[in-house]
Amino acid sequence: GMIDVSLQAMVYTGEKWIGAPAAAELMATKPTYFVSLGDPAAHKIAREKSGYPIGTVTLKPGELGPTQTDTVYAVDFPNNWYVDASMDAEIVYELVKTIQQHAGEFGSYTADGKGLNQKNIGGIAIDEKDFHPGAVKLFKEKGVKIGLD
């Protein structure tokens, strides 16, 4: 196992970004250096053209480890649940309520699910206006931070 270049996933814990299991193993066992993945302006254009909630995550020096000496910009293609904007807000509220109540269980199904909890479920790199009103209602009731800023 020698790796020259690797694209690795990160997971937002609700408090900080960490390497997904493969990235964490790589960072723990090899000298690792970080390169920005794209430009925030390009991420914005991709979002506008695709309609997909693409965002930019800004990782300050050292957030990913001691060898991260510069700010790194990463594109956020959030793994999330999506519904059409026309879906009834009360149905979305109930769906998100169920997901939020069981957020701590997703780690038993997938390693990335270990990063999800009841407080960080709204933590993706998009603005509140881009969330469905039913989800926003639940997040505000439960004190869930919406977005990453």
Side-chain angles (χ1 to χ4, degrees):
M2 298 296 291
I3 295 176
D4 291 324
V5 176
S6 175
L7 179 61
Q8 294 288 329
M10 307 309 287
V11 176
Y12 185 62
T13 66
E15 298 173 10
K16 64 180 183 174
W17 285 92
I18 61 171
E25 180 180 343
L26 181 64
M27 289 186 283
T29 60
K30 305 276 187 230
T32 308
Y33 303 92
F34 303 88
V35 178
S36 287
L37 183 60
D39 174 316
H43 301 166
K44 182 179 178 189
I45 292 168
R47 177 191 176 110
E48 290 168 358
K49 298 282 186 186
S50 70
Y52 190 78
I54 296 167
T56 301
V57 176
T58 303
L59 301 157
K60 296 179 183 117
E63 281 191 281
L64 296 175
T67 57
Q68 182 203 350
T69 57
D70 297 313
T71 297
V72 172
Y73 298 104
V75 64
D76 183 27
F77 299 98
N79 293 325
N80 221 315
W81 293 271
Y82 297 96
V83 299
D84 191 271
S86 66
M87 190 168 186
D88 181 86
E90 286 305 310
I91 293 172
V92 173
Y93 175 90
E94 290 298 326
L95 286 169
V96 175
K97 180 179 173 183
T98 300
I99 293 166
Q100 196 253 356
Q101 287 173 336
H102 296 278
E105 299 169 29
F106 288 94
S108 64
Y109 300 104
T110 173
D112 286 345
K114 292 177 182 171
L116 184 64
N117 63 54
Q118 290 185 343
K119 289 294 183 186
N120 74 357
I121 192 169
I124 62 174
I126 62 173
D127 297 323
E128 180 178 326
K129 68 179 177 52
D130 295 315
F131 282 88
H132 194 283
V136 171
K137 177 182 174 185
L138 185 276
F139 292 158
K140 288 186 174 184
E141 282 181 11
K142 299 294 184 179
V144 172
K145 182 180 173 191
I146 300 171
L148 294 179
D149 293 331

